Amino acid sequence: IQFHELDVLNNNLPSTELFDIIVSNPPYIIEQESSLMKGNVLEHEPHIALFTDNAQDFYKRICELSKTQLKKDGAVYVELNENFADQTKQIFIQYFKEVELKLDLQGKKRMLRARHLLS
């Protein structure tokens, strides 16, 4: 297993490597939702890891990187904002043959799995 930590919007993965799996938990909460969040999350998580003006930028970039960095039979797993789950799925459908939203323990659309890049 190799881990690469990077700012996906401003950096690339190592260009010679192909990956079986790409996993990301990008910032996906909009500021207006902060009042709905639990205090312990706001107190202990860095705001840069939680909040963004446009989470869709992260997902589009992950899809773009996947075109050149993910093995054809590889998969991408991302956490997402339940309020934008269907919108996020539409982004991934443009790049992958199989895109599936997954539910968390509360039955909310909070995860996405994308497999098999389109040619």
Side-chain angles (χ1 to χ4, degrees):
I1 295 176
Q2 293 181 354
F3 293 94
H4 296 274
E5 181 181 342
L6 62 110
D7 177 349
V8 72
L9 294 179
N10 296 307
N11 293 295
N12 290 320
L13 292 166
S15 62
T16 58
E17 291 189 61
L18 290 179
F19 297 92
D20 296 301
I21 298 173
I22 295 174
V23 178
S24 182
N25 183 9
Y28 57 79
I29 302 166
I30 57 174
E31 282 289 338
Q32 295 85 344
E33 294 175 313
S34 64
S35 63
L36 304 172
M37 297 178 67
K38 293 182 179 179
N40 65 321
V41 174
L42 294 172
E43 292 170 15
H44 299 291
E45 293 288 336
H47 281 226
I48 193 169
L50 297 172
F51 298 105
T52 182
D53 293 330
N54 186 357
Q56 303 314 309
D57 289 344
F58 288 97
Y59 301 119
K60 288 175 188 171
R61 179 68 176 134
I62 291 166
C63 287
E64 284 294 319
L65 285 172
S66 296
K67 288 189 327 188
T68 58
Q69 304 283 166
L70 186 68
K71 292 180 181 177
K72 291 296 180 194
D73 59 345
V76 173
Y77 296 86
V78 295
E79 189 170 350
L80 50 89
N81 185 324
E82 66 183 284
N83 296 318
F84 301 101
D86 294 321
Q87 181 182 358
T88 304
K89 182 178 180 180
Q90 291 306 310
I91 292 169
F92 280 86
I93 285 173
Q94 297 173 47
Y95 296 86
F96 292 88
K97 294 177 187 173
E98 292 179 34
V99 180
E100 181 181 8
L101 291 170
K102 298 285 197 173
L103 305 180
D104 67 8
L105 296 175
Q106 288 75 41
K108 298 176 182 180
K109 297 175 185 176
R110 292 288 307 281
M111 297 161 276
L112 180 143
R113 178 183 68 189
R115 297 188 312 173
H116 307 294
L117 283 163
L118 294 171
S119 300

